[in-house]
Amino acid sequence: MKFLSDGAYLLAAQLVARLLAFSLTFVVARTLGLEQLAMLGLAQSLVGFATVAGDAGLGTSAVQRIARGEDSHQVVHDTARAQVWISIVASLAMVPIIATQTDVLLALSLCVTPMVIAATATYVLQARLQARKIAVGQIAGNLLVASVGILLAVIGLPLGVVALVYPAGLFLTMIIVNAQAKVSIRDIVGLPHFAHFVRDGRSYASLLFYTLVVHAYSACLLILSQNLASGRHFEGTGLASRMLILMVIPSVILGSMMLPRFAAVTPSAKRLSLLTGGAFLAGALLATANALLAPVYVPLLFGSEAVPYIGAVQLVGAQVPFSFACTILTSAALAERRFVSTGLAYALALLSQITFALLFSQFSTSVFVLAISVSECIFLVVLASQRLLLSRGTS
C-alpha cells in the first residue's frame, strides 16, 4: 500500500510541478513564438549533456548504496562533491557549443543548471522512499519558475533573460531537498574524495557511458530537426518534444520508485513480465487520450501558430507505451548493475533513431517525429531479448 500511496502522491506532485513549469512554455510560445520555444528546448537538451556528465551515473549508484544500508552522509560526501566538480568542467565545455547552436545569453543563463542539480541530494530521499519530501521541493521550485518566468516573458524580455528562472527554480528545490535530507553545504562543497570511485572505477565508467548514451538518445531528434531538411521540422519537433516530456512523467516516476525496490529485492521473471505488460497498457491509454485531445489542447495552449503541428503531437505519443514498458526493464537492469549491456541497447536504439530520422526527414513533421517511436520499439525488443537470454543463462 505504501508503494501505491507514494506513487500516487509523487505522480500528482510531479504533474503539478511540471504543469507549473509548462505554463511558462505556453507563454513563451504565445509571446516569443514557436521558434524561440524550440530554441529553448534545444539549449536545454544541450546543457543536459553537461548535467548528465556531472551526474556520471553517481546518482543511480548512490540510490543503490543507501538502499542497501550504507551511511547516507558518507555516500553524499562521495557523490555530491565529485558531481559538482565534474559538472563545472562539463558546463564550461558546453557553453561555446550551446552559444553556437542557439544564443550566447541563453547559453550563459542555463550553464549553471548542471552545478545546481549536482548539489541536490535527491538520491538520499529517493533511496529512503520519501516521495513526499521530493515532491515538496519540486513543486516549490517549479512554482518559482512559472510565476517569475511568466512575468518576464509577458514584459517582453529576451529568451536568455527569461531562461534565468530555470536555474533559480532548481536552486530553491536544492535548498528544500537538502534540508529534508539533512545535507549541509559542508557535505557538498569541498575537494572530492575519489577513493570509492577508484575501487569501483569500471562500474562508474560504465554508468557514465550509460547516462551519456541515454541523454544523447533523448536529445537526438530535436538536434537533428534543426540540421536536417533545412530545419523545417524544428518548430514542430520542438513542440512535440515538449508534450512528450509531459506525457512520460509517470514513466520517470515509475523508474525512480522501482530502482530502489529492485536493488533491495530482485523481482521474479513473472512479476517483471506483469509489471512490464501493465506499464505498456497504461502508456497505451495515455497515448490514446493524447491523440484524441491534441486537436483541442494544442491550439488552446500554444495558439493558432501550432495548428499545423497537431499531427506531430499526436504521433509522437506513440512512443509512450514503449517508454513505460522500457522503464520497468531498465530499472531491473540498473538494479543488477548491468550498465554496459543496457547502454549498448540504448546505443542501438540511438543509431536506429538517427537512421529513421534521416529516412523520414523528407516527409512531413508528423512522420519525422515517428523516428523516436520506432527506435523506442526497437529498444524494448532489445531489452526483452537481453532479459530472456539472462534468464536462460541462469536457469
Side-chain angles (χ1 to χ4, degrees), residues 108-198:
L108 293 174
S109 297
L110 295 175
C111 71
V112 297
T113 299
M115 284 87 85
V116 179
I117 293 175
T120 307
T122 308
Y123 45 82
V124 176
L125 301 180
Q126 186 180 343
R128 293 173 182 169
L129 306 178
Q130 295 176 333
R132 300 189 180 193
K133 292 182 179 180
I134 297 174
V136 169
Q138 291 175 337
I139 290 176
N142 281 289
L143 181 60
L144 175 64
V145 170
S147 57
V148 179
I150 289 173
L151 176 62
L152 296 179
V154 170
I155 291 174
L157 294 177
L159 181 62
V161 177
V162 175
L164 283 169
V165 299
Y166 288 103
L170 288 169
F171 186 77
L172 178 58
T173 297
M174 179 199 73
I175 292 173
I176 295 172
V177 167
N178 287 357
Q180 298 276 20
K182 295 181 171 56
V183 173
S184 69
I185 190 69
R186 285 180 294 181
D187 294 324
I188 298 169
V189 177
L191 294 176
H193 304 291
F194 290 106
H196 177 81
F197 307 129
V198 171

Side-chain angles (χ1 to χ4, degrees), residues 295-324:
V296 177
Y297 76 75
V298 169
L300 180 66
L301 297 176
F302 297 99
S304 58
E305 186 184 2
V307 170
Y309 305 121
I310 290 174
V313 173
Q314 290 174 312
L315 291 178
V316 81
Q319 189 213 19
V320 174
F322 300 108
S323 175
F324 277 41

Side-chain angles (χ1 to χ4, degrees), residues 4-36:
L4 294 176
S5 173
D6 283 353
Y9 190 94
L10 191 54
L11 176 59
Q14 277 273 10
L15 285 173
V16 170
R18 291 298 181 99
L19 286 172
L20 285 171
F22 265 71
S23 62
L24 175 57
T25 296
F26 310 142
V27 175
V28 168
R30 285 182 170 273
T31 57
L32 302 179
L34 289 180
E35 184 178 2
Q36 289 290 289

